[in-house]
Amino acid sequence: MIPKEVSMRQILIASAVAVLSTAVWAEDPKPKGEPADKVLATGLAVAKKDGKAVFLEFGSQSCGWCKYLDKFHERPTVAATLGKHLVFVKVDVEDNPGGQKLYDQYAPEPGGVPVWVFLSSDGKVLADSFAEGKEKKKQNVGFPYEQNEVAHYEKALRAALPKLTDADVADILKELKDAGPKKKDEK
């Protein structure tokens, strides 16, 4: 029985609050990934065991260029060629706890995502996505798309993976061009 001093309006408000709070509790927050430092440590351990280098990629779920980079690495020729030399480690700066802190450690300048770094199996930086830009300031090339960005990626590949043949590099660069968005003059 409802006391007379409780109005219908109060009942509706209380019901709405109960329903809304139940809906909020029913939705689990988006699960977080593994801590970023653990993801990297695992990749470095595998690289050391297998005699490979590490390709450390920083990205996020909402990053369009990150999706192009992921699709590029999934292409069969790229996966087969680079997979012989690299362990791929991906850190989401939003979902992996400590991801932003690790990003800040490896990015010499703020540069958005994707940011990529070639590391030796002991964690030494061999090359990264930051090319010298205007006024000698480092700029992130992200997904290598423009001619100068592709040239920087090629230079980074050759520095980090000296065992790649010229034919390997040519195949990878062709795949890179095919994996990216089509430019207006290519359509």
Side-chain angles (χ1 to χ4, degrees):
M1 182 141 213
I2 301 172
K4 291 182 182 179
E5 59 271 2
V6 176
S7 71
M8 184 56 102
R9 181 173 180 229
Q10 289 172 319
I11 293 172
L12 288 174
I13 290 172
S15 298
V17 167
V19 168
L20 290 175
S21 64
T22 302
V24 168
W25 283 94
E27 292 180 25
D28 290 330
K30 184 176 181 183
K32 295 285 185 179
E34 278 191 89
D37 57 350
K38 184 176 179 186
V39 172
L40 178 56
T42 300
L44 288 168
V46 171
K48 186 169 283 255
K49 179 178 78 65
D50 294 347
K52 296 180 179 184
V54 170
F55 185 90
L56 173 60
E57 176 189 347
F58 294 96
S60 71
Q61 293 293 321
S62 61
C63 168
W65 288 110
C66 299
K67 290 173 179 50
Y68 283 112
L69 189 59
D70 292 342
K71 287 178 184 174
F72 165 64
H73 287 138
E74 292 167 4
R75 294 174 78 91
T77 299
V78 176
T81 303
L82 292 182
K84 294 175 193 172
H85 305 278
L86 292 171
V87 172
F88 291 90
V89 174
K90 186 167 183 182
V91 171
D92 187 305
V93 295
E94 296 169 351
D95 288 345
N96 292 106
Q100 184 63 49
K101 182 179 176 186
L102 196 62
Y103 170 94
D104 292 342
Q105 180 182 333
Y106 285 101
E109 298 285 338
V113 289
V115 162
W116 44 265
V117 184
F118 289 97
L119 299 170
S120 66
S121 62
D122 61 358
K124 179 183 171 215
V125 175
L126 303 172
D128 63 30
S129 60
F130 286 83
E132 197 169 290
K134 295 177 184 175
E135 300 172 15
K136 303 216 182 244
K137 185 177 180 184
K138 296 273 189 170
Q139 294 181 321
N140 180 27
V141 302
F143 175 82
Y145 180 70
E146 298 296 338
Q147 186 176 0
N148 64 316
E149 296 169 345
V150 173
H152 176 74
Y153 179 73
E154 178 180 1
K155 181 180 174 184
L157 266 179
R158 290 183 185 279
L161 307 174
K163 292 182 181 177
L164 285 177
T165 67
D166 288 343
D168 289 338
V169 173
D171 288 344
I172 290 167
L173 295 179
K174 180 191 178 307
E175 293 288 332
L176 182 63
K177 181 181 177 187
D178 292 345
K182 300 299 174 220
K183 295 183 179 182
K184 290 180 183 178
D185 59 342
E186 294 178 337
K187 291 184 179 181

